[in-house]
Amino acid sequence: MSPARRGPLLLLLGVVTCLLGLAAALAPVDAEDPVVTWPRAGQAPESTVLPLAPYRPLEFSATVPCAAAAALGEGDVLRTMPAAQENPVTAPGFVASVSGGTLTLRTGDRVLATAPAASGCVFEVTSADGGTVVTRDGAVLAERLDVAPPQVAELATDVTGPAAAGLAVTLYTDARYASSPSPLKVALLVAHLLALAATLAVAVRTWTGTRRVFDAPVRPGVADLVVLVVSCAWAVLGPLNIDDSWYALMARQGAETGTIGNAIYQFDVTEAPFTTSQYLLQWWGSLVGWGLGPLRVVPVVLGLLTWVLLRYTLAALAGRVGVRPGVVAALAVAHLAWFLPYGISLRPEPAGTAAAAGVLLLVAAACRTGAVGLLAPAVVVAVVGMTTAPTALVAAVPLLLALPLVWWHLVHARWATRLATVAVAFAAASAVVPLGLADQSLADVRESVAVHRWYYFQYQWYSEFVHYANLLGPDDQGTWGRRLPVLLTVAVLALGAVRLATRRGTGGPLGRALGFALAATALGLVAVAVSPTKWVNHFGAVAAPATLLLGIALARGPLPRHAPLRLVAVGTAVLGVVAAVVYAGPNLWRPFSDWGQPFGNHSVLAAPINQQVLAPHLGPLYLRSPLLWLLVAAAALWWAGRRGRTPRPDRAVLRVATAGGVALMLVVFGVAPVQQAPGASVASMNLAMLTGDGCGLADALAVTVPDEATSPPPPPSAPPRLTGVMREGPPPDRPSIPGPVWHTEDAGTGTLDAGWFAVPAGTTRLLLPLTGDLRSDQSVRIDTGAGAVTVDLPGEKLGDWRDVAVDLPGPADRVRLVVDDRTDGPDTWLAVGAPLPARELPARAVLGDAPVFADQASAVLWPCQDQIAVRHGIAQAPQWRLRTGDNLEGATESTAFFAANGGTLAGIDRTATFDELPSRLDPPAGRAMFAPAHVERVRYEHPTDGYDLTVGTQRRWGWERLPTLATRDYTGRDFLG
């Protein structure tokens, strides 16, 4: 068939593909319809923890017998939120309570009904999106359209025995995103993919070019081997990104539930349509496990794919010059400069970068050959990239460079071909449907976007300076390694713009390739600017065109070969200043990757010290010194003079800064595990995981646990002696713990002599429970027959109980607890429990197979633990909480438990307390460092399984939208986006 006759066929295929894509987007999904019934069948009502996520059920109904209220007298017949956690705005729960002989039914502060607490009647409360209805013995008593279903973290009752008969709750949890395509949608998706494949095949064969793509073959060489070896080594040595665990948790939960949700906050709403990279990670993690080392195979493969695609792109742009060994070596240095700090991440950027490199290659090939048909698969690849993350809009910007070719094609074509071109473009863009909407409805994705905008602060495009301000900051985002590729690329971009403006050095193969890379990089930085957030990690999205630009500049020089002397001087000065700013950044690579790092004491993080002490240096010579880069330029001038060549100080500074940074990264991270030995490091844990016999921190940590034979602790041998404001029992705002407990009140001083406790003969270590606002003028002492030891207090205000390890001066068979609280002021108090004999065990033995929550900064270093998930609209209850250390506690500990942001474990936080056990690295660290991790036992107010769960399914069309979560009435959170 001739190209002219294929026009109508392409038009038909394009239209059919678009229609099938639209139909698939609107086709129904089969979503979970979980129903919770309480009490369990055949059992009496007993209080249970029920942490819904999202917090409100879609439907809620409660049966409250008046007989239960009459038998109780005073208290709560039914409660869905702990009294201490209930808030009428942020946490409105349902309560049926009895006081003064009156039964009151309310949600939050909205009273639904009141009645005498007398037997003989039954109240029914039903809540859904349309409001709340209260009936008494079948007759409507109240109808409140403004009262939504209550938030639910527990189903609790004070009623016991036969009087509780008839008390019941039925609720439908909100599991809207736990969906899969219906048979109709599957059929439409398959038909759409077949039509899309046919459209692409015909387009490529119809709109062909007139030239070859490559003038010379692209053969493997030394540079390729170096990239391969360094990339594989970097899977072991490279720094852990603070978001790696977050994305691994989403993929891991998706492997269990079938849905890629946020897993940490924003109610676990779907990440669709930005899920392509997580599905890739989910597939691989399901095969090899969820440790950092095995999962890093994905970004390594994506990085190598990016490298191959960029090599072919340069060959397509520059012909035979693009495959010369020197040019390829320059590209390899540029690639590693970007890959080492940004490309090893489990975040979506590596996948988006690979897609962007694929688009660059297809666009370069199309522009070189005139083959417009190659732009159709280029659009599909761009869509693949864009479905990884919002910042991956960078993958689509190279298509703008092909607009002149498309315009020429349209101008010289017939109307049938013009219409076919538009149809093919839309058909290729419809690839977003199978990638982003395969198992979610269009309405659910719209709701997800609304939730993200409501609960997450988003920067506008005109706040792009925040991106660079973070990059230049003194903390982890401003590390010199992360500054290196970004700032050098921006400098090259500025100097390249001067080159284009002066029309110097724009000819020749590399000159034309430089112009292409300049335009693609500039557009890429604009695309990153319009993304909703400004974290430094997002700069990795522009790595593909930026690598191409930086590589060409390294090979050819950032300035024209015969540039005027004044331009060379200015360009060299600019690059020297940029290099100095790069290496002024601190050598901070938290979490965990700082362990064993050189350049200063990494357990000191005050901002001025970051810049002054942790910046790279060789003895007293700091690489941030502008004098050093002036010497590099002078050495280049001297060398050029000796060889009789044109001076290129600008290229010398750029090459030394870039290649030196790559070499320094490899040295720093190669030395770190050696200096950390024999203690654990990220590299040693990765190596153990890759060999299949490593459990990360579970192997590296030793945890002090109470001796089970003496738990709970026995009472002291004699009554304790208390003075001042010392009281017996737990403080009012803390839960009780096993064994005797004492506390001081806010104002005044007090002492405690708890007497002697018998412990097993030979005891050398104790656990002492502590909480309160612990100050330096409080003293806690343990006496033994062999001497006394003063307990080191944490020196901070503790939110929960913390077990402090106490090493005795010698073996003991009895110990005495003595407390002296000399603080006298508001909010100055402490509480202490009876000491318990303890022993130290490996964390793996302590945790066993119990369900845990490892947080979003450390989960990939706990690969062997049974990580909880949000399933059927309910957050699984962990027995242990594993929090990151490394001085990042404040940045990570509350995120999943912060209700105002839709934290998925807010219901757990409302019904549980967390008791930390002492832990340490075993063997100890080789260099100074912060606490590595926190191991906390989770204690619940009620049992966690006192209900029945039945999971059905319901079919929803793509346009059917359920009640929104993006409203102030849901959690009290105002609009942030």
Side-chain angles (χ1 to χ4, degrees):
M1 184 181 296
S2 66
R5 294 182 178 181
R6 287 178 184 159
L9 175 61
L10 274 173
L11 176 61
L12 177 61
L13 285 172
V15 171
V16 169
T17 303
C18 292
L19 292 176
L20 287 172
L22 178 62
L26 298 176
V29 296
D30 290 331
E32 284 188 357
D33 187 24
V35 183
V36 171
T37 54
W38 177 83
R40 303 193 71 167
Q43 298 183 9
E46 293 183 354
S47 299
T48 184
V49 170
L50 181 59
L52 298 191
Y55 315 143
R56 297 178 189 264
L58 294 174
E59 296 181 22
F60 172 88
S61 62
T63 302
V64 182
C66 297
L72 181 60
E74 294 282 338
D76 294 329
V77 181
L78 177 62
R79 173 178 287 278
T80 67
M81 188 69 61
Q85 300 290 335
E86 188 182 10
N87 182 292
V89 176
T90 62
F94 173 78
V95 181
S97 61
V98 182
S99 179
T102 300
L103 172 63
T104 302
L105 308 178
R106 63 178 175 85
T107 295
D109 60 354
R110 300 177 182 181
V111 176
L112 303 175
T114 59
S119 58
C121 62
V122 175
F123 283 92
E124 294 278 352
V125 180
T126 303
S127 293
D129 184 38
T132 299
V133 177
V134 182
T135 64
R136 178 175 179 174
D137 297 332
V140 175
L141 189 64
E143 192 170 358
R144 296 289 301 271
L145 301 181
D146 60 333
V147 178
Q151 293 190 19
V152 178
E154 66 178 12
L155 297 174
T157 180
D158 295 336
V159 184
T160 59
L167 181 63
V169 171
T170 299
L171 58 86
Y172 291 77
T173 68
D174 191 346
R176 68 181 75 186
Y177 295 108
S179 60
S180 58
S182 65
L184 173 61
K185 187 164 187 172
V186 170
L188 289 171
L189 287 171
V190 171
H192 170 264
L193 287 173
L194 292 174
L196 177 59
T199 302
L200 296 178
V202 175
V204 170
R205 292 193 61 186
T206 300
W207 297 323
T208 58
T210 58
R211 296 179 58 189
R212 295 174 56 188
V213 178
F214 305 108
D215 291 340
V218 179
R219 294 190 176 94
V222 175
D224 301 284
L225 180 62
V226 171
V227 169
L228 175 63
V229 171
V230 172
S231 299
C232 293
W234 205 240
V236 175
L237 297 174
L240 176 65
N241 189 293
I242 195 170
D243 286 339
D244 281 352
S245 292
W246 198 314
Y247 283 87
L249 283 174
M250 288 194 283
R252 186 171 184 174
Q253 179 171 277
E256 296 184 23
T257 66
T259 301
I260 300 293
N262 190 283
I264 299 299
Y265 66 175
Q266 295 177 354
F267 311 107
D268 193 41
V269 299
T270 181
E271 290 290 291
F274 306 112
T275 53
T276 301
S277 64
Q278 285 99 307
Y279 276 124
L280 178 61
L281 204 63
Q282 170 189 320
W283 168 77
W284 182 249
S286 300
L287 294 176
V288 301
W290 300 102
L292 178 63
L295 289 178
R296 277 186 167 176
V297 172
V298 172
V300 166
V301 170
L302 290 171
L304 292 173
L305 174 62
T306 300
W307 161 249
V308 171
L309 292 172
L310 289 178
R311 272 214 62 188
Y312 277 92
T313 300
L314 187 56
L317 291 171
R320 296 182 181 277
V321 177
V323 298
R324 289 177 181 173
V327 175
V328 175
L331 186 66
V333 172
H335 171 73
L336 293 177
W338 274 98
F339 175 77
L340 297 184
Y342 292 105
I344 198 63
S345 173
L346 302 182
R347 287 176 51 85
E349 282 81 10
T353 297
V359 178
L360 284 170
L361 174 57
L362 289 169
V363 169
C367 292
R368 180 177 176 85
T369 64
V372 177
L374 291 177
L375 297 179
V379 172
V380 173
V381 176
V383 170
V384 172
M386 293 170 64
T387 55
T388 62
T391 50
L393 178 62
V394 174
V397 296
L399 295 170
L400 299 177
L401 304 181
L403 288 180
L405 173 63
V406 175
W407 178 254
W408 186 93
H409 168 75
L410 293 176
V411 167
H412 293 83
R414 298 178 179 179
W415 271 106
T417 301
R418 294 173 184 175
L419 293 175
T421 302
V422 174
V424 169
F426 278 100
S430 71
V432 70
V433 175
L435 289 169
L437 298 173
D439 60 355
Q440 298 291 337
S441 72
L442 181 61
D444 285 344
V445 171
R446 289 178 57 212
E447 172 66 11
S448 174
V449 172
V451 169
H452 282 81
R453 292 194 62 206
W454 190 278
Y455 293 95
Y456 191 83
F457 181 76
Q458 302 183 40
Y459 290 96
Q460 301 300 323
W461 62 269
Y462 49 78
S463 298
E464 179 60 5
F465 67 89
V466 175
H467 225 145
Y468 296 90
N470 287 332
L471 186 67
L472 297 176
D475 58 9
D476 308 67
Q477 292 197 71
T479 57
W480 66 269
R482 292 190 176 102
R483 292 182 183 186
L484 177 76
V486 177
L487 295 185
L488 290 179
T489 297
V490 171
V492 169
L493 187 65
L495 296 178
V498 172
R499 175 190 293 226
L500 292 179
T502 60
R503 296 187 178 276
R504 290 178 175 268
T506 57
L510 278 183
R512 292 189 293 272
L514 179 69
F516 181 91
L518 276 170
T521 304
L523 291 170
L525 289 173
V526 171
V528 170
V530 302
S531 64
T533 52
K534 305 298 181 187
W535 297 110
V536 168
N537 289 325
H538 298 164
F539 275 120
V542 78
T547 296
L548 193 62
L549 174 63
L550 187 57
I552 296 172
L554 287 170
R556 182 185 175 93
L559 291 172
R561 182 170 301 174
H562 301 293
L565 183 60
R566 61 181 181 276
L567 183 58
V568 173
V570 171
T572 303
V574 168
L575 289 169
V577 170
V578 169
V581 172
V582 164
Y583 289 102
N587 192 66
L588 286 175
W589 300 95
R590 294 180 302 160
F592 311 117
S593 301
D594 264 12
W595 297 0
Q597 287 275 355
F599 309 137
N601 184 350
H602 286 249
S603 64
V604 179
L605 291 179
I609 296 178
N610 287 350
Q611 296 284 348
Q612 300 299 319
V613 178
L614 299 182
H617 58 277
L618 300 172
L621 178 61
Y622 278 80
L623 303 187
R624 63 169 180 257
S625 172
L627 178 61
L628 174 65
W629 300 102
L630 180 61
L631 291 175
V632 170
L637 290 172
W638 173 80
W639 181 260
R642 287 196 60 184
R643 296 285 179 172
R645 298 176 179 175
T646 303
R648 300 301 303 271
D650 55 316
R651 185 168 65 180
V653 172
L654 180 62
R655 286 180 173 180
V656 171
T658 308
V662 170
L664 186 60
M665 285 275 285
L666 295 174
V667 169
V668 164
F669 282 91
V671 166
V674 176
Q675 293 191 139
Q676 184 68 3
S681 63
V682 172
S684 66
M685 288 187 281
N686 277 339
L687 197 59
M689 293 177 198
L690 285 168
T691 59
D693 190 31
C695 287
L697 285 171
D699 293 330
L701 284 180
V703 181
T704 300
V705 296
D707 192 333
E708 295 180 358
T710 57
S711 181
S717 59
R721 290 177 292 177
L722 289 69
T723 68
V725 297
M726 187 68 69
R727 301 288 183 265
E728 190 165 1
D733 64 342
R734 297 291 191 276
S736 182
I737 58 175
V741 178
W742 302 271
H743 74 279
T744 57
E745 297 181 343
D746 281 353
T749 63
T751 64
L752 164 70
D753 183 346
W756 290 93
F757 294 83
V759 296
T763 297
T764 59
R765 172 171 282 205
L766 300 174
L767 276 180
L768 187 66
L770 288 169
T771 189
D773 190 7
L774 306 180
R775 305 293 182 89
S776 59
D777 46 0
Q778 296 166 332
S779 171
V780 179
R781 190 179 79 243
I782 299 290
D783 292 340
T784 72
V789 59
T790 300
V791 179
D792 291 331
L793 301 179
E796 59 180 310
K797 186 173 183 178
L798 303 180
D800 292 302
W801 287 95
R802 180 180 297 180
D803 292 324
V804 176
V806 181
D807 290 317
L808 302 180
D813 58 5
R814 62 175 188 156
V815 296
R816 184 174 69 167
L817 173 63
V818 179
V819 180
D820 187 1
D821 184 359
R822 293 299 178 186
T823 58
D824 186 5
D827 202 27
T828 57
W829 59 279
L830 64 77
V832 61
L836 270 173
R839 53 181 177 157
E840 200 172 56
L841 296 174
R844 187 193 288 198
V846 173
L847 300 174
D849 296 328
V852 307
F853 170 69
D855 71 13
Q856 68 275 13
S858 64
V860 289
L861 297 182
W862 297 98
C864 301
Q865 308 317 128
D866 181 15
Q867 178 71 34
I868 64 166
V870 176
R871 187 182 288 109
H872 313 312
I874 304 170
Q876 185 183 356
Q879 295 183 24
W880 296 90
R881 181 170 72 169
L882 309 173
R883 290 193 296 119
T884 187
D886 228 6
N887 203 46
L888 289 170
E889 292 86 348
T892 60
E893 68 178 335
S894 63
T895 307
F897 302 87
F898 187 34
N901 273 359
T904 56
L905 301 186
I908 300 293
D909 188 52
R910 288 165 167 167
T911 56
T913 57
F914 307 92
D915 300 340
E916 183 173 351
L917 297 176
S919 60
R920 66 176 183 87
L921 282 182
D922 184 28
R927 295 287 297 268
M929 54 183 289
F930 293 101
H934 301 275
V935 178
E936 299 171 343
R937 192 189 306 272
V938 186
R939 302 184 187 274
Y940 293 94
E941 186 177 355
H942 308 300
T944 60
D945 58 353
Y947 56 88
D948 287 329
L949 174 66
T950 304
V951 181
T953 60
Q954 60 173 330
R955 184 158 292 176
R956 294 201 312 269
W957 287 92
W959 58 81
E960 293 184 64
R961 194 164 179 178
L962 295 181
T964 184
L965 311 176
T967 171
R968 188 180 187 278
D969 291 338
Y970 203 91
T971 64
R973 168 49 60 91
D974 290 315
F975 178 66
L976 293 180

